[in-house]
């Protein structure tokens, strides 16, 4: 680094709070020494101060699962809320929900962390440049720290790329003596951005461990994490939004450089998918070597197979550091996780505390999300022969066959019957049973279980315009089954690190890459069906071929690349629902416009009679234009640096 000594001594090291491991508590790491001023010289004079700088690099990780700071969670079409809640400052500010509402702008963009993430890249560069100088740091640890910093640097670049598309690559920090023209950097072409990030991850993997050394280090980067993130990034690089996207042909900077390559041959397009196949295969091999596997719950109480399967599915997300979570984000505060659970929960202990003011349950999925889930035969409603002629919104009374899913003798709609296990495990709804929230007992009977009654007059009814159900469905998936209401105002939430990448996600990325590379009947077809069917089997569903051949109106759909693409994409949208993945997947596939035009619908939640309640009500319309694929660069940044050409449409 070309920084004069006098300037180095004035350079503050940013003390960013970072949770680095303990499963049940937060470790906030402060690197400011006793004199209140940290310098590069003091930071790298010994291991005990240098490791704090490493944690500072981790501190710039984005906060996935945070309602205001996860830029793909409340900003799309998967969850909806009330525009002007009185309690908007209590558990979330509604910042990213403004993107969903169509209020994004270039003057002051929502979710604008451009400067902050580049600050994180700068910190990573400083550590990479200085780790070798720490005198009491073993050589193996120096290499590991540098590898961790390279991973974080790659992730920070990818975070910016996913939002803004082509970005300036920062390989090394500019010296303080840099001229104005040197500071006015250009955006690098999209292909070069992806190649650089992949290069960083390849370099990092050489020196990362297979597993962390102790539970105190959970959250630190390992070889399987780096390999899996590389696989995911390579699938993004191969996807239509980034791979020969002719819609971006006019994005050209003032040098005449095209920021998207739009004249690729079919072989060049395929090459990206071929590389993704290899990366996914290697990531799965490493993850399985590190003993990751699809999660199976070990219940502490005796429950029947139906409830056990529900717990398998729910705990794959909410059980801390379970066997399926390859990478969990310890930077997202546990308070943010608790808030997510609280705003998603109905009043749970209806028989004791029906009016708990903290459980506003004002974040809910629109009707197109429950419609999206499969039938119990593992195919979409519209393709299931058994649903031919059945109106999903006809009234139906809970029966003995569905007694573990629906309140017996309670009137609901056909949409809630004969659905796949993930529907019941991950969705709450009027008349639906909800395992947990009460003291656990052995061999429970249906009448022991909590159930939702959110029509007017029910325990979970709408109690005010900003309190109570919005659409009539709840994202049960993110709510731990052991959460408890402890009093009229008390709520105990079992918090957990947010799952950034699960093994199921990786399996489906691999299936997608194979199909896009060679179609469903190529050299890797057996692996493609094996991994997608593994995800389906854990969800209690038949394999793809069996489901479509025996139960659908379109047997053999999986035999074409287009048909298999539909199957894989739907599987991802279901399996990863409410995890913040849908927002990005719809964009990289370029299917967002068709999904958004379906509109945001809910039930008439203020009604009491079933025939009145179960009406589809349009809550909002969403538009999706070409400009919405990428964030706008803030106008002020472009005024400071005219070399940063603005994204199309902004």
């Amino acid at each position: 680094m070309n920084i004069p000594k006098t300037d180095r001594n004035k350079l503050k090291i940013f003390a960013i709070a970072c949770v680095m491991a303990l499963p049940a508590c937060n470790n906030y790491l402060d690197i400011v020494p006793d004199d209140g001023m940290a310098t590069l010289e003091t930071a790298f004079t010994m291991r005990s101060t240098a490791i704090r700088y490493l944690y500072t690099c981790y501190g710039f990780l984005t906060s996935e699962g945070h309602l205001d700071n996860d830029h793909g969670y409340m900003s799309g079409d998967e969850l909806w809320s009330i525009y002007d809640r009185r309690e908007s400052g209590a558990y979330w500010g509604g910042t990213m929900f403004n993107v969903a509402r169509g209020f994004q702008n270039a003057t002051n963009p929502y979710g604008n962390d451009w400067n902050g993430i580049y600050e994180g890249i700068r910190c990573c560069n400083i550590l990479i440049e200085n780790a070798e100088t720490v005198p009491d740091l073993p050589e193996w640890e120096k290499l590991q720290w540098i590898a961790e910093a390279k991973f974080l640097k790659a992730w920070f670049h990818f975070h910016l790329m996913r939002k803004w598309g082509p970005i300036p690559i920062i390989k090394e920090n500019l010296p303080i003596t840099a001229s104005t023209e040197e500071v006015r950097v250009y955006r690098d072409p999209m292909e070069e951005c992806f190649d650089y990030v992949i290069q960083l991850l390849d370099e990092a993997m050489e020196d990362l461990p297979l597993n962390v050394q102790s539970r105190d280090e959970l959250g630190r980067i390992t070889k399987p994490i780096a390999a899996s993130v590389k696989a995911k990034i390579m699938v993004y690089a191969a996807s239509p939004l980034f791979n020969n996207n002719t819609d971006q042909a006019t994005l050209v900077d003032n040098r005449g450089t095209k920021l998207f390559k739009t004249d690729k041959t079919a072989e060049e397009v395929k090459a990206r998918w071929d590389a993704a196949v290899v990366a996914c295969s290697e990531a799965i091999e490493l993850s399985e070597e590190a003993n990751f596997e699809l999660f199976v719950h070990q219940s502490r109480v005796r429950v029947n197979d139906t409830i056990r399967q529900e717990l398998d599915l729910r705990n794959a997300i909410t059980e801390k550091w379970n066997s399926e979570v390859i990478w969990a984000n310890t930077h997202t505060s546990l308070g943010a996780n608790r808030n997510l659970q609280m705003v998603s929960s109905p009043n749970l202990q209806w028989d004791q505390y029906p009016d708990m003011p903290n459980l506003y349950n004002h974040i809910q999925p629109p009707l197109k999300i429950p419609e999206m889930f499969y039938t119990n035969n593992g195919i979409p409603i519209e393709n299931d022969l058994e649903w031919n002629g059945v109106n999903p919104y006809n009234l139906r009374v809970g029966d003995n066959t569905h007694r573990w899913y629906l309140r017996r003798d309670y009137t609901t709609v056909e949409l809630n019957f004969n659905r796949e296990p993930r529907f019941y495990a991950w969705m709450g709804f009027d008349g639906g049973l909800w395992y947990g929230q009460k003291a656990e007992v052995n061999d429970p009977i249906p009448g022991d279980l909590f159930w939702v009654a959110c029509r007017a007059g029910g325990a979970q009814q709408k109690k005010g315009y900003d309190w109570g159900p919005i659409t009539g469905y709840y994202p049960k998936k993110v709510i731990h089954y052991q959460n408890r209401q402890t009093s009229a105002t008390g709520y105990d939430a079992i918090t957990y690190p947010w799952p950034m990448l699960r093994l199921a996600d990786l399996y489906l990325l691999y299936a997608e890459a194979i199909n896009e590379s060679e179609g469903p009947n190529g050299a890797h077809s057996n692996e493609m069906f094996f991994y997608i069917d593994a995800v389906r089997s854990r969800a209690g569903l038949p394999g793809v071929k069996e489901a479509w051949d025996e139960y659908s109106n379109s047997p053999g759909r999986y035999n074409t690349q287009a048909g298999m693409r539909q199957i894989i994409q739907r599987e991802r949208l279901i399996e990863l629902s409410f995890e913040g993945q849908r927002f990005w997947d719809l964009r990289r596939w370029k299917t967002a416009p068709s999904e958004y035009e379906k509109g945001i619908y809910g039930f008439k939640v203020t009604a009491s009679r079933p025939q009145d309640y179960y009406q589809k009500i349009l809550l909002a319309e969403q538009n999706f234009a070409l400009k919405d694929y990428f964030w706008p660069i803030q106008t002020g940044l472009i005024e400071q640096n005219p070399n940063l050409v603005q994204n199309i449409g902004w």
Side-chain angles (χ1 to χ4, degrees):
M1 292 180 61
N2 185 18
I3 301 178
K5 182 177 180 180
T6 55
D7 290 323
R8 291 201 309 267
N9 290 336
K10 297 178 183 177
L11 191 61
K12 287 186 178 180
I13 298 175
F14 296 93
I16 302 297
C18 177
V19 182
M20 274 309 299
L22 294 182
C25 64
N26 293 349
N27 282 348
Y28 291 99
L29 298 162
D30 182 5
I31 68 165
V32 180
D34 293 339
D35 62 6
M37 178 71 75
T39 67
L40 290 184
E41 289 180 340
T42 61
F44 297 101
T45 54
M46 62 184 71
R47 182 188 182 281
S48 60
T49 54
I51 196 169
R52 294 180 180 181
Y53 201 92
L54 173 64
Y55 292 158
T56 296
C57 295
Y58 274 93
F60 287 93
L61 276 172
T62 48
S63 299
E64 275 75 6
H66 188 298
L67 287 167
D68 287 317
N69 295 337
D70 185 332
H71 298 158
Y73 204 76
M74 285 300 301
S75 44
D77 69 330
E78 188 172 35
L79 292 163
W80 207 252
S81 188
I82 299 168
Y83 294 155
D84 53 353
R85 291 191 316 101
R86 290 191 299 267
E87 300 294 327
S88 60
Y91 300 110
W92 69 302
T95 303
M96 297 313 302
F97 186 45
N98 286 317
V99 176
R101 296 168 63 190
F103 295 161
Q104 185 62 286
N105 66 94
T107 302
N108 188 22
Y110 295 105
N112 183 27
D113 57 357
W114 177 283
N115 286 336
I117 296 299
Y118 273 115
E119 194 174 298
I121 292 171
R122 178 179 175 278
C123 281
C124 291
N125 282 337
I126 290 173
L127 186 136
I128 291 168
E129 294 164 359
N130 288 276
E132 291 284 355
T133 67
V134 182
D136 59 341
L137 193 62
E139 184 64 24
W140 69 267
E141 200 166 22
K142 290 179 184 179
L143 294 174
Q144 181 179 327
W145 286 13
I146 291 171
E148 289 177 74
K150 285 182 177 180
F151 172 91
L152 293 170
K153 183 178 174 182
W155 177 259
F156 295 149
H157 275 90
F158 174 63
H159 172 81
L160 295 169
M161 290 155 54
R162 190 161 60 167
K163 290 174 64 179
W164 278 282
I167 59 165
I169 296 172
I170 305 300
K171 296 183 178 180
E172 297 178 346
N173 291 339
L174 289 172
I176 286 179
T177 56
S179 67
T180 301
E181 287 308 309
E182 287 178 296
V183 172
R184 287 179 172 171
V185 295
Y186 287 89
R187 301 172 70 180
D188 289 289
M190 197 75 254
E191 295 285 312
E192 293 179 20
C193 291
F194 275 114
D195 289 341
Y196 178 64
V197 166
I198 293 165
Q199 174 193 329
L200 280 176
L201 292 171
D202 283 336
E203 293 174 5
M205 273 189 282
E206 293 180 7
D207 298 308
L208 289 169
L210 185 66
N211 299 103
V212 294
Q213 295 181 0
S214 71
R215 289 188 66 83
D216 288 347
E217 293 187 343
L218 287 169
R220 287 183 67 169
I221 303 305
T222 61
K223 199 182 295 288
I225 293 174
S228 299
V229 167
K230 174 189 171 183
K232 189 160 196 167
I233 291 174
M234 293 190 76
V235 169
Y236 270 73
S239 297
L241 181 61
F242 300 105
N243 194 6
N244 205 40
N245 185 359
T246 56
D247 292 340
Q248 299 292 324
T250 60
L251 189 60
V252 182
D253 66 21
N254 57 24
R255 300 169 300 181
T257 300
K258 293 184 66 173
L259 299 184
F260 277 84
K261 185 173 176 59
T262 58
D263 58 352
K264 288 186 177 183
T265 64
E267 289 74 18
E268 289 175 312
V269 171
K270 183 178 181 298
R272 280 289 188 188
W273 284 113
D274 293 344
V277 169
V278 175
C280 289
S281 177
E282 292 175 350
I284 290 172
E285 183 176 346
L286 269 173
S287 296
E288 293 178 346
E289 182 183 348
N291 296 319
F292 290 102
E293 59 184 1
L294 294 180
F295 178 73
V296 176
H297 180 72
Q298 299 298 322
S299 178
R300 289 179 289 273
V301 294
R302 292 193 305 272
V303 291
N304 61 36
D305 291 343
T306 301
I307 294 177
R308 187 178 300 280
Q309 184 173 61
E310 176 179 334
L311 292 176
D312 287 351
L313 294 165
R314 290 175 67 180
N315 284 296
I317 289 83
T318 61
E319 189 73 15
K320 300 172 186 176
W321 307 114
N322 70 70
S323 63
E324 184 170 338
V325 176
I326 299 171
W327 183 27
N329 191 347
T330 55
H331 181 62
T332 303
S333 72
L334 299 184
N337 180 260
R338 183 175 186 270
N339 289 345
L340 170 63
Q341 296 191 63
M342 291 186 72
V343 300
S344 305
S345 294
N347 283 283
L348 301 172
Q349 294 283 36
W350 59 274
D351 52 346
Q352 295 177 345
Y353 314 117
D355 294 315
M356 182 176 179
N358 294 334
L359 301 181
Y360 279 88
N361 58 86
H362 48 242
I363 290 178
Q364 297 195 324
L367 294 186
K368 64 179 175 181
I369 301 302
E371 291 174 344
M372 171 189 74
F373 279 74
Y374 292 141
T375 69
N376 57 349
N377 293 321
I379 50 179
I381 287 176
E382 60 270 23
N383 297 114
D384 194 318
L385 292 172
E386 294 179 6
W387 282 72
N388 186 32
V390 176
N391 182 347
Y393 292 97
N394 282 343
L395 298 181
R396 181 171 170 180
V397 177
D399 53 32
N400 189 60
T401 302
H402 293 82
R403 65 189 182 280
W404 292 107
Y405 293 137
L406 296 142
R407 183 73 171 176
R408 201 164 170 181
D409 299 324
Y410 190 86
T411 301
T412 175
V413 283
E414 289 281 359
L415 185 66
N416 298 330
F417 288 80
N418 298 316
R419 306 302 301 278
E420 61 162 307
R422 288 179 295 194
F423 176 86
Y424 299 108
W426 295 343
M427 307 278 294
F429 53 88
D430 182 53
L433 282 95
W434 189 307
Y435 182 80
Q437 325 312 325
K438 293 183 177 184
E440 297 171 82
V441 296
N442 288 322
D443 302 316
I445 61 174
D448 292 337
L449 304 182
F450 167 73
W451 61 285
V452 178
C454 58
R455 301 202 298 261
Q460 290 77 40
Q461 68 177 333
K462 196 165 185 65
K463 298 183 173 76
Y465 82 95
D466 63 345
W467 184 3
I470 299 159
T471 67
Y473 283 89
Y474 300 81
K476 188 200 303 186
K477 185 181 194 179
V478 300
I479 302 168
H480 197 282
Y481 81 99
Q482 290 180 315
N483 287 3
R484 300 285 186 268
Q485 284 182 234
T486 56
S487 68
T489 58
Y491 182 75
D492 286 346
I494 307 297
T495 53
Y496 51 91
W498 189 255
M500 298 282 281
L501 208 159
R502 295 193 286 124
L503 191 62
D505 185 355
L506 186 56
Y507 283 179
L508 294 176
L509 288 171
Y510 189 30
E512 178 182 351
I514 291 172
N515 185 59
E516 297 300 334
S517 170
E518 59 188 45
N521 302 299
H524 297 86
S525 64
N526 287 340
E527 292 175 75
M528 180 185 71
F529 286 106
F530 174 83
Y531 284 108
I532 190 173
D533 285 349
V535 174
R536 291 169 62 91
S537 178
R538 195 267 299 277
L541 297 175
V544 168
K545 292 181 178 180
E546 178 185 348
W548 283 88
D549 285 347
E550 294 191 16
Y551 303 106
S552 85
N553 57 12
S554 183
R557 174 171 291 188
Y558 52 81
N559 280 321
T560 68
Q561 186 180 54
M564 195 63 198
R565 180 182 299 128
Q566 292 175 350
I567 292 169
I568 293 170
Q569 290 183 359
R570 184 106 170 208
E571 195 72 46
R572 278 190 64 82
L573 294 177
I574 294 171
E575 176 65 29
L576 301 172
S577 58
F578 311 134
E579 296 183 49
Q581 299 295 329
R582 177 185 173 95
F583 179 89
W584 305 110
D585 277 345
L586 293 183
R587 281 157 176 74
R588 70 179 178 87
W589 294 330
K590 295 179 69 176
T591 58
S594 60
E595 285 296 316
Y596 276 51
E597 70 180 11
K598 294 178 181 178
I600 303 297
Y601 284 85
F603 291 132
K604 189 177 181 180
V605 294
T606 56
S608 59
R609 299 192 309 162
Q611 57 267 42
D612 298 325
Y613 175 91
Y614 288 109
Q615 297 182 41
K616 289 184 70 171
I617 305 297
L618 180 65
L619 303 179
E621 292 181 337
Q622 285 186 299
N623 297 313
F624 194 95
L626 177 60
K627 69 176 185 178
D628 295 312
Y629 280 110
F630 294 111
W631 251 251
I633 298 176
Q634 187 173 18
T635 303
L637 286 175
I638 294 178
E639 290 173 348
Q640 296 169 15
N641 178 9
N643 293 335
L644 293 175
V645 60
Q646 182 61 280
N647 276 327
I648 293 173
W650 297 104

